[in-house]
Amino acid sequence: MQFRAGCPDCRARFELPAGALRLAVGGSSRTTFYSFTCPECGSAVRKPAGERIVELLSGGGVSTLRLQPKT
């Protein structure tokens, strides 16, 4: 599966395979995000992921890391 993405640094728009994305799911919206490396400029990109994005990415085969809350 391919996902459309964009780089906030170089403004490139592109499609990435599921293997190029990482999803981190935390206990709040601030700790739930997805990340990738821009294929155009090489920047590490991290963007917030709401419920819909989490559903799409996890359902599309993106590797998901479940973050544990601090105790």
Side-chain angles (χ1 to χ4, degrees):
M1 183 167 221
Q2 295 279 95
F3 296 94
R4 281 184 281 177
C7 177
D9 290 340
C10 72
R11 304 266 185 229
R13 310 277 310 150
F14 40 81
E15 288 194 356
L16 294 170
L21 295 152
R22 296 288 175 261
L23 175 63
V25 178
S28 73
S29 59
R30 290 189 327 181
T31 57
T32 300
F33 60 90
Y34 65 99
S35 61
F36 58 90
T37 299
C38 175
E40 298 293 322
C41 71
S43 288
V45 178
R46 178 174 158 164
K47 294 187 174 188
E51 285 183 32
R52 181 74 180 128
I53 296 211
V54 169
E55 259 181 49
L56 289 171
L57 295 179
S58 60
V62 172
S63 176
T64 303
L65 172 65
R66 302 238 176 241
L67 302 174
Q68 298 296 320
K70 291 182 181 180
T71 55

